């Protein structure tokens, strides 16, 4: 399945706020570690290499 | 360790009369060169094998020999002995801190003659090979014969050899450079050996002790006994244990070898001081390869062609597989039964294998020694997640152990199982009267639920369509005929009985006739 590039989260503002909350009170280093864990967790959830490669390319080129 | 008597050095014939021209000269009597000579002899091809030394290798080198290596050694009569002498294992456990995060089983199914892995020191393996080579009339093994120069022309290579008795020259139609990672022949020919150096130092220690460790591989990331680094422990026969400790790039390699520093480090690993140091060395590791392994009449085999870091045991095992794919081809070329281009096929297959071995070894080494920045962050977070989330466990990489690669090959019959597709090692299975692997010694047509044709120069094995054999070769199909190469790799297969001409055409294509 190709990467979803259209909005796909029902409550984007709510998710964004939740993401920031997860980082609250963390040092820069701790935040970076949390983001890394999050990437790994979400990547596993996506699972499909094709979509993941596209995501990597999109992140890298923006 | 270097307890063995020196092997006898004899006066080479080339000193007293012109040295006869040899079909094949092999330089280097490490495991790769020794096996190459024996493998050629198996196909009736004589060779002369020169080594600058007169002893088996010293110190801590290879200990882990793969199932594939045991199968290869079995063909020259040494597999059963290695399996009997070695410590057999198949389970690896990986720890982070003090808790287990990952576990693998390298041979989860039954019905194979050889175990997944045995641990046996390289010098023992070399000793067995030397004994076999000395007893083999087609192998002319010469110790303390140092190759000092090499030149080649269209019909072969000429070596300048130095001995205790004086220098002489030796010419051969083909030259196998099995002269190790520092290959003097590679240097003399000015060939680049490109790749990656890992900026890390590892202490490798062999110790003797009474210890109660299961027959397994244990690997630790950041154990409490060696904070912030990694550690690996393997069991060898006779109460010897191999311990690898990561030291960091700044460690002083000379100081780290001294007993005053080594002993307290080991004491923390094993929890007592009741052990004896057998050997210690400090290594840095590389992953490098030649761009190609065939250079005219000179073929680079084993460490001279490619080196890897040892996590995954792909160095020696990979070298033995180089020989596996070469012996039958070179013997056929020498006998005039194959075209020289068959050796380019060998080169292509082993480049493919070297890339796979290097990719696996580099990934494991990078996981152990991440560079600062993203690499370090991800490595640490994978380890942290692994304790709680099963998905992260297979990302924990303490080495992916040597397994034969699948050579690129055409004509995979889609209906038959992937495990026995062309290009793969024909999987072993029990037969009513022994093991399949014991029957695959030359070109073989294996018929399962079908009668293979009588083809020129091919052995025939027929077996009933049942048990592990049927599972591994038939899948859902009712019958199959498999053409197996002399190295036990599947060359072609059919879900029917092919004609003799069809089978011969597949073989002739591989031999570039
Ligand atoms: C710490 C460590 C652990 C390892 N663990 C494993 C493991 O568990 N499993 C595994 O599969 N591999 C392992 N390896 C790798 C393995 O040891 C090598 O891949 C293997 O020795 C390569 O064999 P070779 O015959 O190609 O070369 P070598 O064993 O290096 O033999 C080369 C031979 O050539 C001879 N020679 C050199 N120059 C000349 C000359 N000018 N004239 C004549 N002779 C010459 C040398 O004397 C030597 O005998 C390990 C390596 C190390 C360092």
């Amino acid at each position: 399945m190709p990467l979803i590039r259209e909005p796909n989260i029902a409550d984007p503002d709510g998710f964004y706020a939740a993401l920031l909350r997860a980082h609250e009170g963390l040092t820069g280093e701790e935040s970076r570690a949390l983001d890394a864990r999050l990437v790994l967790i979400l990547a596993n959830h996506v699972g499909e290499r094709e979509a993941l490669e596209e995501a990597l390319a999109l992140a890298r080129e923006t | 360790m270097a307890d063995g008597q020196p092997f006898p050095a004899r006066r080479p014939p080339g000193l007293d009369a012109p040295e006869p021209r040899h079909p094949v000269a092999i330089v280097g009597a490490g495991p790769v060169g020794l096996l190459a000579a024996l493998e050629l002899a198996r196909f009736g091809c004589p060779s002369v094998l020169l080594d600058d030394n007169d002893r088996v290798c010293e110190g801590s080198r290879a200990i882990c020999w793969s199932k594939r290596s045991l199968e290869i050694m079995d063909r020259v009569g040494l597999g059963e002995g290695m399996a009997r002498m070695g410590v057999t294992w198949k389970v690896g456990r990986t720890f982070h801190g003090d808790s287990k995060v990952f576990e693998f089983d390298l041979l989860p199914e039954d019905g194979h003659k050889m175990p997944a892995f045995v641990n046996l020191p390289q010098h023992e393996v070399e000793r067995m090979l030397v004994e076999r080579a000395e007893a083999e009339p087609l192998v002319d093994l010469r110790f303390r014969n140092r190759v000092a120069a090499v030149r080649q022309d269209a019909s072969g290579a000429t070596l300048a050899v130095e001995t205790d008795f004086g220098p002489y020259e030796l010419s051969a139609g083909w030259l196998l450079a099995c002269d190790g990672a520092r290959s003097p022949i590679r240097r003399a020919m000015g060939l680049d050996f490109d790749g990656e150096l890992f900026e890390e130092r590892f202490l490798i220690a062999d110790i003797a002790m009474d210890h109660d460790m299961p027959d397994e591989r244990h690997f630790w990331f950041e154990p409490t006994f060696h904070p912030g680094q990694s550690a690996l422990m393997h069991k060898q026969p006779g109460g010897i244990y191999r311990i690898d400790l990561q030291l960091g790039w700044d460690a002083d390699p000379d100081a780290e070898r001294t007993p005053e520093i080594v002993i307290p480090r080991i004491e923390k690993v094993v929890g007592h001081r009741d052990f004896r140091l057998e050997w210690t060395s400090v290594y840095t590791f590389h992953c490098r390869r030649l761009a190609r392994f065939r250079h005219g009449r000179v073929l680079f085999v084993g460490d001279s062609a490619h080196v890897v870091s040892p996590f995954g045991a792909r160095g020696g095992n990979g070298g033995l597989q180089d020989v596996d794919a070469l012996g039958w081809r070179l013997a056929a070329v020498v006998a005039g039964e194959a075209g020289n281009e068959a050796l380019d096929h060998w080169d292509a297959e082993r480049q493919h294998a070297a890339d796979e071995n290097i990719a696996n070894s580099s990934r494991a080494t990078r996981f152990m020694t991440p560079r600062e920045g993203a690499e370090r962050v991800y490595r640490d977070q994978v380890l942290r997640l692994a304790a709680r989330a099963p998905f992260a466990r297979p990302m924990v990489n303490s080495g992916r152990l040597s397994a034969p690669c699948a050579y690129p090959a055409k004509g995979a019959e889609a209906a038959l199982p992937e495990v026995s597709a062309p290009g793969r090692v024909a999987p072993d299975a029990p037969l009513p009267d022994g093991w399949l692997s014991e029957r695959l010694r030359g070109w073989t047509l294996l018929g399962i639920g079908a009668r293979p044709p009588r083809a020129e120069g091919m052995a025939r094995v027929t077996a009933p369509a049942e048990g592990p054999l049927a599972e591994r070769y038939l899948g859902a199909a009712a019958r199959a005929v498999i053409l197996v190469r002399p190295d036990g790799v599947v060359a072609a297969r059919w879900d029917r009985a092919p004609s003799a001409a069809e089978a011969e055409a597949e073989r002739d294509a591989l031999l570039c006739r």
Side-chain angles (χ1 to χ4, degrees), chain A residues 32-37 39-41 44, chain B residues 373-374 377-378 381-382 384-385 391 395:
Chain A
R32 195 165 175 203
L34 182 129
D35 277 338
R37 288 197 295 279
V39 166
L40 292 165
I41 291 165
N44 182 65
Chain B
V377 173
Y378 275 106
Q381 299 317 310
V382 163
R384 235 174 110 170
L385 275 170
F391 85 82
M395 291 183 188

Side-chain angles (χ1 to χ4, degrees), chain B residues 27-33 50-53 57 60-65 122 126 145-148 178-181 184 204 242 283 285 301-304 310 313-318:
Chain B
V27 179
V32 170
L50 310 171
D51 195 90
D52 56 353
N53 213 330
C57 75
S60 320
R61 297 192 71 191
I63 53 168
C64 302
W65 304 96
Q122 181 165 337
E126 289 184 13
N145 273 237
R146 194 179 74 85
V147 172
C178 306
D179 51 348
I204 314 279
R242 161 72 54 89
Y283 285 97
F285 294 122
V301 195
D303 272 14
S304 68
R314 287 168 180 267
N317 289 306

Side-chain angles (χ1 to χ4, degrees), chain B residues 174-208:
Chain B
W174 298 92
L175 173 62
L176 306 191
C178 306
D179 51 348
R182 295 204 175 86
S183 174
I185 295 177
R186 191 183 66 221
R187 288 178 185 196
M189 290 174 60
L191 303 173
D192 289 334
F193 200 46
D194 288 332
E196 186 178 9
L197 159 78
F198 300 97
E199 294 199 338
E200 185 58 73
R201 295 187 201 281
F202 291 88
L203 169 72
I204 314 279
D206 282 333
I207 62 171

